[in-house]
Amino acid sequence: MRKKIVAGNWKMNTVKEQGVELAKAVAAKAGEAPANVGLIIAPPFTHLCCVAKAVEGTKIAVAAQNCADHTSGAYTGEVSAAMIKAVGCSWTILGHSERRQYYGETDEKLVEKTKLALAEGLGVILCVGENLEQREAGEHFAVCESQIKNVLFNFSADDMARIIVAYEPVWAIGTGKTATAEQAEEIHAHIRKTLAGKFGAKVAEDTTILYGGSCKPSNAAELFAQKDIDGGLIGGAALKADDFIAIAKAFEA
Ligand code: 13P
């Protein structure tokens, strides 16, 4: 059975004290989330360590928002998978559209990053999604399918047990424009079918596929009710503990 997950991508928000406070607030309310819903928070690098300590012993797992495509050495400004693991993280987000768009993240780089993250024992939340122009041109299925193929088809069925896919249509991120439940579901189903073609039906059925893009307490229940939507990757609403937990509670609605 695949896991239901609600993950919070804090992006470049909060300084250390605010981040620790937010993590503690989420931890204090985590018991209100359904027991079968996993919670992950992804703070900025600078406070991964403090946040991991603040939520130690709770059900909350900590993720980085990115990791390097090399193991160590002369790569100024980069942070390796081993460094992320060593401060108490169990996950890293990879391939977020903001990284693809602003920092030249390519599918080729994401293959390397995913390999290194898995080798360190981290789980990977791989983001895929089309931009507005691609959606308007009717290319959304093809774009997501090729991102999945270019990255995940380099991995094994066993590796897939530690990989979550997040579908985040770029036009819905931070815009207040959510994909409708139907728009999201048809892409999720397509992603699952694409995975089944390579890894078989069982692996595809067991893969958690999250929706991200203006997901909030008021629309989470409808999205999560779709058969191929297993939770959310939350941006803005993850910066408020109440909203983040309310989204996790949407599974009960
Ligand atoms: P918003 O929820 O702010 O639209 O961001 C979604 C996102 O990009 C999560 O990774």
Side-chain angles (χ1 to χ4, degrees):
M1 256 278 279
R2 57 189 185 248
K3 289 196 188 80
K4 298 179 196 312
I5 304 248
V6 173
N9 174 11
W10 294 3
K11 308 192 181 185
M12 197 172 75
N13 293 297
T14 71
V15 294
K16 187 179 83 174
E17 288 74 13
Q18 295 165 330
V20 169
E21 204 171 301
L22 176 56
K24 285 183 177 162
V26 173
K29 289 183 161 282
E32 294 174 24
N36 63 343
V37 177
L39 299 177
I40 302 175
I41 52 177
F45 281 128
T46 49
H47 30 303
L48 284 178
C49 190
C50 303
V51 164
K53 281 202 182 97
V55 301
E56 210 174 345
T58 73
K59 70 177 271 179
I60 302 166
V62 181
Q65 298 174 15
N66 179 33
C67 87
D69 56 344
H70 296 278
T71 49
S72 66
Y75 301 102
T76 302
E78 289 295 301
V79 177
S80 75
M83 294 169 187
I84 291 164
K85 174 84 179 173
V87 292
C89 293
S90 41
W91 292 93
T92 184
I93 297 171
L94 289 177
H96 193 281
S97 63
E98 288 149 16
R99 296 217 51 90
R100 292 178 188 260
Q101 188 181 350
Y102 307 135
Y103 302 101
E105 194 112 307
T106 60
D107 286 338
E108 292 69 37
K109 275 203 173 138
L110 290 169
V111 173
E112 285 316 302
K113 292 182 175 200
T114 303
K115 273 186 194 158
L116 296 175
L118 294 178
E120 281 303 328
L122 293 171
V124 169
I125 302 173
L126 179 76
C127 303
V128 300
E130 80 287 356
N131 62 29
L132 185 60
E133 200 184 338
Q134 291 164 330
R135 174 152 286 261
E136 284 174 347
E139 294 166 0
H140 38 298
F141 290 102
V143 167
C144 296
E145 183 178 324
S146 83
Q147 289 171 338
I148 291 285
K149 286 184 171 167
N150 291 344
V151 182
L152 296 184
F153 279 25
N154 295 285
F155 294 89
S156 69
D158 284 350
D159 291 333
M160 286 304 297
R162 289 189 292 132
I163 295 173
I164 290 174
V165 175
Y167 168 56
E168 299 206 312
V170 179
W171 48 272
I173 295 177
T175 57
K177 252 195 207 175
T178 321
T180 64
E182 293 70 30
Q183 283 174 322
E185 168 59 21
E186 63 182 7
I187 297 281
H188 281 234
H190 187 70
I191 291 171
R192 206 176 296 287
K193 194 170 127 212
T194 304
L195 293 173
K198 167 76 176 172
F199 301 108
K202 167 94 175 68
V203 169
E205 272 307 306
D206 287 348
T207 301
T208 296
I209 308 179
L210 307 180
Y211 168 78
S214 299
C215 184
K216 44 190 183 261
S218 59
N219 59 24
E222 196 189 351
L223 287 159
F224 297 173
Q226 305 302 309
K227 93 176 166 31
D228 290 294
I229 302 183
D230 309 312
L233 180 55
I234 319 301
L239 297 172
K240 289 194 188 125
D242 285 349
D243 285 356
F244 185 63
I245 296 297
I247 291 170
K249 284 162 90 172
F251 275 109
E252 285 174 333

